[in-house]
């Protein structure tokens, strides 16, 4: 029964004595079984597009830990690739893309309706998972939010301050806003197809929202998120959405109401007590233990896990890290965190 799943109960606003738990990047390099399957696939992108192996790595952390949610194994940069950008990963460094900085580049992007040809394997992974997951596990679909994805498309790589994207915003608003619009349309199509394939909720990752200040935050983080959420809810009534405007700071306040998100995920640059007081009053919150505890473990891990649970205990909460788990994390620390959340 869908309504019984703990994550969906939190998303509908229910306060639970033990919060449901999953972890960003739970299928990742800290797990030996993930590294083995990635090796079998050849490289990261081949793994994303191999539905059988992507299903396998999505299930690995569910089997090992029994998390309350599984997130489909894919990447936020598959969408620009499906829109026509070249994408590759440099081992040890990260993603590289062909850049888009002018009207001609914008015109070359494929329309939202053409993305499915490339992304069909992701939908197949979602279908596989919908049939394979334990009955109590919620299946999460996801995409990057337009600003974050645009920052990679404009720079051609990850950047510490999203400088190239800010520069294009200042120098050529027409092209910059054109990219945001095209990504907004593509994201609606992409998430909608994941929902049709069986995703029970979706999450928007705006990893670089923190570098948008003032009006820019409203125009390029809030507005596209709101547009995506309204379109998804119109097409798929009741579909729950988590928004993650990472490092939004004070701008986390009111983000539920401004965007229509059912849950706002908070990173660990704000305290759980602050987020409980200022963000959870408006609805479900996800977060926000520092991923560093998965590396360092010990008493601090137990203490901070308990503190996070305690801070959020009077409202709807999904326990998670404040950002993705890192490759140097110890799998035993993850078990200790879960035992602490579930066992007190
Ligand atoms: O959370 C999950 O387990 C689901 C899968 C997932 C991946 N990436 C797999 C992945 C999700 C939800 C993402 C989101 C993503 N991808 C974001 C937003 C979240 C965040 O972390 O801020 C961003 C910015 C990306 C883009 C991306 N993908 C980068 C910058 C990198 C390289 C950095 C790194 O960690 O290596 C990736 C690679 C990537 N995506 C890996 C995984 C498991 C590591 C690839 C590998 O196996 O070598």
């Amino acid at each position: 029964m869908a309504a019984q799943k703990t994550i969906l109960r939190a998303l509908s606003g229910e306060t639970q004595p033990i919060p449901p738990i999953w972890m960003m990047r739970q299928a990742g390099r800290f797990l030996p079984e993930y590294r083995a399957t990635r090796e079998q696939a050849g490289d990261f992108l081949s793994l994303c597009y191999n539905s059988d192996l992507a299903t396998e790595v999505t299930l690995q952390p569910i089997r090992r830990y029994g998390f309350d949610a599984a997130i489909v194994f894919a990447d936020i940069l598959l969408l620009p690739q499906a829109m026509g950008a070249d994408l590759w990963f440099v081992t040890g460094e990260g993603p590289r893309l062909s850049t888009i900085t002018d009207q001609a580049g914008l015109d070359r992007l494929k329309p939202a309706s053409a993305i499915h040809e490339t992304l069909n394997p992701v939908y197949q992974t979602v279908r596989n998972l919908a049939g394979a997951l334990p009955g109590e596990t919620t299946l999460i679909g996801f995409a990057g939010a337009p600003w974050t994805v645009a920052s990679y498309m404009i720079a051609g790589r990850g950047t510490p301050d999203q400088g190239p994207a800010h520069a294009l915003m200042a120098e050529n608003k027409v092209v910059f806003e054109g990219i945001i619009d095209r990504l907004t349309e593509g994201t609606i199509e992409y998430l909608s197809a994941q929902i049709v394939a069986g995703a029970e909720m979706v999450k928007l990752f705006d990893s670089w929202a923190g570098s948008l200040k003032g009006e820019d935050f409203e125009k390029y983080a809030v507005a596209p998120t709101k547009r995506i959420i309204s379109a998804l809810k119109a097409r798929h009534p009741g579909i729950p959405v988590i928004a993650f405007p990472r490092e939004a700071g004070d701008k986390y306040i009111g983000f539920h109401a401004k965007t229509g998100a059912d849950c706002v995920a908070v990173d660990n640059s704000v305290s759980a007590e602050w987020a409980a007081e200022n963000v959870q009053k408006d609805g479900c919150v996800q977060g926000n233990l520092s991923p560093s505890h998965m590396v360092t473990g010990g008493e601090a891990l137990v203490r901070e896990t308990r503190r996070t649970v305690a801070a959020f205990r009077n409202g709807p909460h999904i326990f998670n890290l404040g950002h993705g788990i890192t490759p140097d994390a110890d799998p035993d620390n993850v078990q200790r965190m879960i035992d602490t959340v579930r066992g007190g």
Side-chain angles (χ1 to χ4, degrees):
M1 283 273 292
Q4 298 306 314
K5 297 191 183 189
T6 53
I7 297 260
L8 298 177
R9 282 162 58 182
L11 288 166
S12 71
E14 192 178 321
T15 304
Q16 296 170 92
I18 297 173
I21 178 168
W22 69 283
M23 207 173 59
M24 283 184 266
R25 291 280 169 96
Q26 62 190 22
R29 287 162 293 183
F30 81 107
L31 287 179
E33 58 268 38
Y34 168 83
R35 295 196 297 268
T37 310
R38 194 186 65 170
E39 183 97 2
Q40 198 185 332
D43 58 53
F44 172 65
L45 279 178
S46 306
L47 178 54
C48 290
Y49 288 116
N50 181 324
S51 305
D52 289 340
L53 295 183
T55 301
E56 167 58 22
V57 292
T58 306
L59 292 171
Q60 284 168 351
I62 308 304
R63 283 192 210 113
R64 187 191 264 257
Y65 298 115
F67 282 117
D68 294 285
I71 182 161
V72 59
F73 191 82
D75 196 83
I76 66 164
L77 300 177
L78 304 188
L79 177 65
Q81 187 179 35
M83 292 172 79
D86 294 328
L87 171 68
W88 66 104
F89 280 80
V90 179
T91 312
E93 290 187 32
R96 295 288 182 274
L97 295 92
S98 50
T99 57
I100 153 166
T101 50
D102 57 15
Q103 187 66 44
L106 178 60
D107 293 341
R108 273 196 300 274
L109 288 180
K110 293 184 200 165
S113 57
I115 63 172
H116 304 305
E117 202 184 324
T118 303
L119 296 169
N120 264 322
V122 177
Y123 313 146
Q124 185 56 46
T125 307
V126 174
R127 280 191 291 273
N128 292 350
L129 288 164
L133 281 170
E136 65 277 14
T137 314
T138 302
L139 178 53
I140 306 177
F142 76 92
W147 158 250
T148 288
V149 177
S151 76
Y152 286 94
M153 292 175 86
I154 294 164
R157 58 190 300 160
T159 47
D161 55 0
Q162 297 74 60
H166 283 286
L168 186 66
M169 189 197 296
E171 285 155 18
N172 194 338
K173 261 212 172 19
V174 173
V175 168
F176 175 78
E177 292 187 349
I179 297 171
I180 295 286
D181 279 349
R182 299 291 293 276
L183 283 171
T184 303
E185 289 155 13
T187 304
I188 292 165
E189 279 301 311
Y190 182 36
L191 289 176
S192 198
Q194 292 182 46
I195 295 163
V196 169
E200 296 168 280
M201 51 159 294
V202 294
K203 178 170 175 186
L204 273 172
F205 287 86
D206 212 348
S207 305
W208 300 118
S211 79
L212 290 169
K213 303 298 171 201
E215 250 321 272
D216 291 341
F217 185 86
E218 304 301 318
K219 278 170 29 196
Y220 307 125
V222 172
T225 298
K226 180 186 160 107
R227 203 178 137 201
I228 292 164
I229 293 175
S230 318
L232 291 177
K233 287 184 181 278
R235 290 192 199 182
H236 313 279
I239 188 77
V241 183
I242 301 181
F244 182 34
R246 193 169 74 89
E247 295 198 354
D250 283 353
K251 296 195 180 66
Y252 278 125
I253 302 171
F255 204 80
H256 286 94
K258 282 184 183 173
T259 61
D262 302 274
C263 176
V264 173
V266 294
D267 70 274
N268 49 280
S269 71
V270 297
S271 75
E273 291 78 8
W274 180 88
E277 191 181 329
N278 293 287
V279 191
Q280 198 184 29
K281 66 176 169 43
D282 292 335
C284 185
V285 167
Q286 176 181 283
N288 72 337
L289 184 69
S290 170
S292 65
H293 290 295
M294 300 302 102
V295 180
T296 52
E299 274 314 300
L301 156 63
V302 173
R303 187 179 66 241
E304 291 304 307
T305 300
R306 285 197 183 124
R307 180 183 148 196
T308 306
V309 171
F312 290 117
R313 79 155 41 102
N314 294 321
H317 177 218
I318 297 169
F319 192 97
N320 205 310
L321 303 177
H323 199 197
I325 187 166
T326 51
D328 54 345
D330 179 344
D332 292 341
N333 287 335
V334 174
Q335 188 62 58
R336 192 137 187 233
M337 167 182 74
I338 296 169
D339 291 345
T340 305
V341 170
R342 291 186 174 155

